[in-house]
Amino acid sequence: MTFSATSRTGAGVVTLATALLLGGCASRGPLPTYYDFGPPASPVAAVAPAAAPALPVLVIADANGPSWLDNQRMYYRLLYADAQQSRPYAYNRWNTPPLQLLSQRLKTRIAQGGIKVLATTDAAAGIPLLRIDVDDFSQNFDTEKQSSGQVTLRASLFRGHVLVDQKTFSRNSRAGSADAQGGAQALASASDAIAADLLAWLGTLTIPKE
């Protein structure tokens, strides 16, 4: 079969366009992998007390924290090299900003503990309010092959405009692998442990009457 000069030119344009398209795709690098905490497991004993909760109803505000926790990047620290530097993973992301992930996990776990959880928009007068301020939420590498998930937060319980109590909670969970997947699993475990600590703490408080 014989091609004309016009046909050969057209074929060359198509080939060049295809090469540029494929080259453009390759230059963007690997597609990011997204993580979350996974579905909540059935409550452990510490999250499911046998006795009725001291607070039958609780308003839980969405967690506050530094601006770097209000985006989808996953951060880690190399404690053995430079503990002051927080580094983002290049191709790994949270599917929701960590502040939102943590807020939802704590609400779910506290509800599993028998407390009716309301949002601030559903709050009624006299219902205690729990405020969460997150100080740390990161994967820390002690060595190149060992890392853990660190979660530190401050919980403040209010009745009306009166502070009932305030306490800082911190949990560290060892990662099963020295990568983003291991970090996501470790941070989910640390968050669940803090939820159990919060439930235990809330059960010790006496709420003053208005």
Side-chain angles (χ1 to χ4, degrees):
M1 183 179 293
T2 303
F3 290 96
S4 66
T6 302
S7 298
R8 289 197 297 270
T9 302
V13 171
V14 172
T15 301
L16 177 60
T18 302
L20 289 174
L21 178 60
L22 293 175
C25 292
S27 66
R28 288 197 292 267
L31 293 175
T33 301
Y34 291 89
Y35 294 93
D36 58 22
F37 285 171
S42 54
V44 295
V47 185
L55 295 172
V57 183
L58 181 65
V59 174
I60 302 181
D62 290 335
N64 297 308
S67 58
W68 60 272
L69 289 177
D70 202 17
N71 63 75
Q72 291 176 258
R73 286 194 168 189
M74 298 181 73
Y75 287 91
Y76 64 93
R77 293 180 187 273
L78 303 179
L79 300 184
Y80 62 89
D82 185 1
Q84 281 69 46
Q85 184 177 4
S86 181
R87 309 161 191 254
Y89 278 103
Y91 301 113
N92 298 280
R93 302 283 188 273
W94 294 109
N95 65 8
T96 303
L99 289 177
Q100 296 180 31
L101 275 177
L102 184 58
S103 295
Q104 188 55 51
R105 192 63 155 215
L106 294 178
K107 291 176 183 179
T108 298
R109 284 304 201 179
I110 290 174
Q112 285 179 333
I115 297 176
K116 293 181 175 61
V117 174
L118 302 180
T120 51
T121 53
D122 300 324
I127 298 178
L129 180 143
L130 181 66
R131 191 177 72 192
I132 301 294
D133 295 289
V134 182
D135 295 321
D136 193 16
F137 183 94
S138 59
Q139 181 181 10
N140 297 324
F141 283 82
D142 299 313
T143 69
E144 291 183 1
K145 297 183 179 180
Q146 290 187 342
S147 69
S148 60
Q150 177 70 43
V151 179
T152 302
L153 59 80
R154 183 173 62 261
S156 305
L157 185 69
F158 292 87
R159 177 70 178 267
H161 297 289
V162 178
L163 177 64
V164 176
D165 198 7
Q166 184 181 89
K167 188 173 181 179
T168 296
F169 298 88
S170 186
R171 281 286 190 160
N172 184 285
S173 180
R174 182 65 63 184
S177 57
D179 53 18
Q181 181 180 6
Q185 294 170 343
L187 285 164
S189 296
S191 299
D192 284 343
I194 281 188
D197 294 340
L198 279 170
L199 271 170
W201 170 65
L202 291 170
T204 67
L205 301 181
T206 301
I207 308 301
K209 296 182 180 181
E210 291 188 322

